[in-house]
Amino acid sequence: MVAKAARFEEVAESIRQEITTGTHAEGAQLDVDELVKKHATTKATVGKALGALARDGLVRWDGEVATIAGGAATGDATETAEASPVPVITESAEELVAKMTARAEEKSAELAPRETPPVLEGRVITAHVDPDAERALKNPDVAQAYQEGKVLGQAWMEAEGRATEAKRALSHKLMDLRELFMFKGHPDYSGQSREYQALVSLLYQDLGVGKSGQRAILHHLEDRKRERVPKALWSKFGVEELSRGQRAGLEKKAAQALTSVAETAAATAGQAAKGKSTGHQLVTLAKRIDAGMAVFSTASLRVMTPAQRRTFVDQVREARDRADALIREAESLDE
């Protein structure tokens, strides 16, 4: 049974046919919005299609603008594309990451030390390579990390069904690349050095990764920083006390607790105003207040500023004093 082609492959094939039959002249620009409308799809899918065409040498794609490359209508690119179709990913997440890692290691092993790395000899990037990137790639370790990142990035652009695992694998390799450079006396954990900036720009241009894809990789790089940066340097490099997942979880739980307490308090107050408030309602309110307080942990308190922590402590102490007074009064009623 032949697996159905991914949507971006179908779009790429349609555009490829138009290019190779001469519908678009060399140097013409393709309007991404028009392609979205024509193929009734999304910008992300069109971007992946253009990235695939860029790897075949049919277009130049920087993530924003697609231009028909020279020699696009000769038919060579079509033959190449038909001989090596983009695979439909069916592996599990673990199998995909293992496969990408093996491909990256295989490609990097082909690099001969101190030779011009093949990453500068492709069909996509021919007119200009940033001098900082070209200089950095003369370092064999940098060239190897870049080549491995390129292979992982290509797997990401092809792996529609396993994009998260592919992006995570690429973020690990980009962090390896960052750590090969120094910035203000430390490894370039935040990717601020000129060399890294030039290399990652070159990589994204070669892969056809747009702005949204770059933002997605940055989210994963934030997690990699937490893993790589020594904790004593977290503040210096802008590493949050909680991970993105922990912050999202805390935000969700806190919002749910606040909503629950507010709704119960409002209902209890409304019934009390009518003289109908019951002990059950008050017990429920106390339970929900306790559940709200339970959201906060040692880790979550660290995300507060010192001023917020002081205010929080003062408010909790006041609540504790009121709770103690209520407990004493309740106990006296049962004596």
Side-chain angles (χ1 to χ4, degrees):
M1 179 179 178
V2 179
K4 181 181 178 182
R7 178 62 177 140
F8 83 92
E9 294 178 85
E10 297 173 350
V11 175
E13 181 59 28
S14 176
I15 299 172
R16 181 182 287 110
Q17 291 297 326
E18 292 180 354
I19 294 173
T20 56
T21 56
T23 302
H24 304 292
E26 177 184 342
Q29 289 189 351
L30 299 176
D31 189 298
V32 174
D33 290 331
E34 287 185 4
L35 291 174
V36 169
K37 293 179 181 178
K38 179 177 179 179
H39 296 281
T41 186
T42 64
K43 282 189 175 182
T45 298
V46 169
K48 288 184 179 182
L50 293 172
L53 294 171
R55 291 191 290 277
D56 290 339
L58 290 171
V59 302
R60 293 185 294 276
W61 168 242
D62 63 3
E64 300 294 331
V65 178
T67 306
I68 305 301
T74 63
D76 294 340
T78 302
E79 293 172 8
T80 300
E82 291 175 352
S84 302
V86 177
V88 176
I89 303 300
T90 58
E91 304 96 330
S92 68
E94 294 76 12
E95 290 171 334
L96 175 67
V97 173
K99 180 179 178 181
M100 289 190 302
T101 302
R103 284 174 59 191
E105 291 174 350
E106 179 183 347
K107 290 289 185 181
S108 65
E110 298 172 1
L111 292 176
R114 309 192 188 289
E115 293 181 359
T116 302
V119 290
L120 298 180
E121 299 170 358
R123 289 172 293 178
V124 178
I125 301 170
T126 55
H128 174 71
V129 175
D130 188 291
D132 290 319
E134 188 166 12
R135 182 175 60 255
L137 285 166
K138 291 178 180 178
N139 181 321
D141 292 335
V142 172
Q144 177 177 327
Y146 182 93
Q147 183 67 23
E148 291 173 353
K150 185 174 178 180
V151 174
L152 294 172
Q154 288 171 339
W156 162 38
M157 297 303 289
E158 295 166 3
E160 284 197 332
R162 301 293 181 192
T164 298
E165 288 77 11
K167 284 183 285 190
R168 185 181 295 117
L170 177 58
S171 71
H172 276 287
K173 188 52 58 181
L174 289 181
M175 186 57 73
D176 289 344
L177 196 59
R178 287 182 176 186
E179 290 181 298
L180 290 172
F181 302 103
M182 297 295 290
F183 186 77
K184 295 184 178 181
H186 292 281
D188 188 21
Y189 294 119
S190 296
Q192 294 179 285
S193 62
R194 289 172 55 185
E195 293 90 347
Y196 175 80
Q197 289 286 332
L199 285 171
V200 78
S201 176
L202 186 70
L203 179 65
Y204 286 149
Q205 178 183 342
D206 204 0
L207 294 172
V209 179
K211 298 296 183 183
S212 61
Q214 294 175 32
R215 287 192 294 271
I217 293 296
L218 285 174
H219 288 317
H220 286 279
L221 279 167
E222 182 182 337
D223 291 335
R224 303 293 80 76
K225 283 173 65 176
R226 288 180 56 80
E227 298 167 359
R228 308 279 186 101
V229 177
K231 194 165 185 178
L233 298 177
W234 277 11
S235 177
K236 181 178 182 65
F237 288 98
V239 178
E240 300 283 353
E241 289 284 349
L242 303 182
S243 68
R244 286 187 302 121
Q246 289 173 322
R247 293 199 302 272
L250 175 62
E251 183 178 352
K252 181 178 180 179
K253 289 179 181 178
Q256 290 174 338
L258 289 172
T259 300
S260 177
V261 170
E263 290 176 349
T264 305
T268 302
Q271 292 296 311
K274 300 175 183 177
K276 297 180 180 179
S277 182
T278 68
H280 174 72
Q281 289 176 319
L282 294 173
V283 169
T284 299
L285 177 59
K287 287 181 178 179
R288 291 188 176 176
I289 291 174
D290 180 65
M293 293 296 294
V295 168
F296 296 93
S297 63
T298 301
S300 60
L301 291 175
R302 288 201 298 266
V303 303
M304 296 180 179
T305 65
Q308 288 172 333
R309 276 195 293 271
R310 286 193 294 271
T311 301
F312 179 80
V313 169
D314 290 341
Q315 291 293 330
V316 172
R317 282 174 176 163
E318 290 180 13
R320 181 187 62 188
D321 292 342
R322 284 193 291 271
D324 287 343
L326 285 170
I327 289 172
R328 287 194 295 271
E329 185 171 352
E331 290 176 341
S332 68
L333 293 174
D334 293 330
E335 291 178 352

